[in-house]
Amino acid sequence: MTPHPPQLDEKHHTDDARPPSPRLNHVPYHARVPSLDGSGPTLIRRMSNDRPELGMAMRRGMTTVDASKEAVVVVTPYSTGCCVALEIQKRGYSVIALFIKGFAEEMKTHVPLSCEELRYMAIVEEADSLEQTAQIIREKAGTKRVVGVIAGGEAGVDVADALSEYMMLRSNGTGIENRRDKKVQQELIKAAGMRAVRQAAGTKFEEVEEFLKKEPYPVVIKPTDSAGSDGVKLCHTFDEAKEHFNKLLVHQKVNGGVCELVLCQEYLKGKEYIVDQVSRDGVHKTMMVWVYERKRANNSQFVLYSILPIDPQSEEAQALIPYAQGVLDVLGVKNGPTHGEVIITDDGPCLVEMNCRANGGDGTWGPLCRALTGGYSQIEASVDAYLDKQAFACLPALPPSPFKANGLQIHLVSYKGGTVKSAPVFDIVEKLPSFVYYETGVKPGTKVVPTIDLVTGCGIVILVHKDPAVLEKDLKFIREMEVKNELFVFEEDELPAGEVVAN
């Protein structure tokens, strides 16, 4: 059932309004995005407080702009969108949060731990028309001039494009309809002669049945406009694909609304990469290239172990970057951040999807990126692209090679399961010299199963250090804890250990 659009709350329409947050007494709290069945544990997050060098972005030079007289609209700020909003605030601008119709109330509380200082000049709701929405924004801005409209998350992309175009601000415009639709993206790049995925989509199963009978298995079934991995499933049989297709048609998306069109796609074999970029006036600059490190564990073929930064001069990056930038040109993306997911197949790079917003994950990768680049990340560069022409021009086209530090994001893998009695791993990890951040849904009383996918994952850890030997030692220590089943202490219902991958 589609949730009712959130109502305007006049108490938020005041100066210095805080983002909606479930925090009480400053205790870190984060409601995990609901899974397909609406469940999901509360996340516990910790960030290192004794490594200030990781939070330092490059100083931006003074400009002739008086930002105190200007305001920027961030559409549906959540996750990394809040980090972008905070960076805008740090530069002296007032920030107006605009939430679209039907945006899930729970998602409004998705405020990263790093954004405690974020304050909104006003929080408003999308009106029935662009004209009415723009009028409300101008009224809330008062004497301040609105100088930008930026998407604060996947759900805000369409409204941000339309509203920025209507208000004659920097925009990707609406010339390409449904730009963020995964089916449309593949059709456009295929028409442009680029490698695209085989696919079929429909609002009822009969429209995709023939494709699913002919396509080799496994196949990927997913919504056309989901956020993250919401609703995405790798199906190994026709019956499994049919069941998940029909399930998605009644699935309520994590951002609000329901799935109206289901996409069935060829399963791309190969390593999956991320290409994070920022653009201004059609000039694309690569912020970082990442690769998913997957291994076999617990009788599952593709368990995610880590996300690693890739040297921009590597063979893989040199193939991925021009391909991803070509996709942006085809999609008409000329301004702002993008988060592209690409698989290198036997016949070259192939798009999984191009997200027309910043990398997600609460921007926890920001300190890692700033350490790798020497002072900037996609967060700061996104603000440069919209508000500081000179600063954007000074950004390099590629990250430095070699990187200026070493780091990665670890996904913890449990080889045992049961009810958790205690989780010693997190107290230990916090004391490692390369520790930056951890996030987990595991606490005493949580039921853990052996890790086979993202849903059964038991936490992430970000490590950064200038000395590669220190990083390697800490990484090895964590991996040994996994193999020795020392991440958690279980109650008497402990499950037998699963298959352990050779590290």
Side-chain angles (χ1 to χ4, degrees), residues 175-304:
I176 295 181
E177 191 174 356
N178 298 327
R179 180 187 288 113
R180 58 188 278 265
D181 185 303
K182 298 172 179 61
K183 176 176 179 289
V184 172
Q185 290 180 354
Q186 297 291 343
E187 291 172 347
L188 289 172
I189 64 172
K190 182 179 180 179
M194 301 178 70
R195 171 67 162 97
V197 67
R198 297 188 301 273
Q199 64 178 14
T203 57
K204 51 187 179 181
F205 186 74
E206 290 76 13
E207 296 171 350
V208 301
E209 186 172 7
E210 190 65 25
F211 173 84
L212 290 174
K213 286 181 177 179
K214 293 180 178 180
E215 183 64 24
Y217 281 80
V219 296
V220 176
I221 310 295
K222 61 185 180 181
T224 57
D225 62 349
S226 60
S229 59
D230 180 32
V232 180
K233 185 176 182 180
L234 185 65
C235 298
H236 294 81
T237 66
F238 177 85
D239 289 340
E240 185 181 11
K242 181 177 181 179
E243 179 185 4
H244 191 62
F245 182 98
N246 291 326
K247 188 174 185 178
L248 285 177
L249 289 179
V250 296
H251 167 47
Q252 182 172 307
K253 295 179 290 186
V254 297
N255 290 335
V258 294
C259 176
E260 298 176 349
L261 188 68
V262 177
L263 187 59
C264 308
Q265 291 184 328
E266 144 195 23
Y267 172 61
L268 297 171
K269 296 180 180 179
K271 281 189 177 181
E272 185 173 359
Y273 297 81
I274 296 170
V275 185
D276 288 335
Q277 302 185 86
V278 174
S279 308
R280 181 184 170 99
D281 295 334
V283 176
H284 312 304
K285 297 192 176 184
T286 302
M287 298 294 105
M288 194 59 61
V289 180
W290 312 87
V291 63
Y292 291 111
E293 182 187 33
R294 300 183 189 275
K295 300 179 183 180
R296 181 178 176 83
N298 297 319
N299 297 313
S300 180
Q301 194 69 36
F302 304 108
V303 175
L304 181 60

Side-chain angles (χ1 to χ4, degrees), residues 160-176:
D161 285 345
L163 185 61
S164 56
E165 182 180 58
Y166 178 82
M167 298 181 73
M168 293 185 289
L169 300 170
R170 182 168 300 281
S171 178
N172 288 317
T174 57
I176 295 181

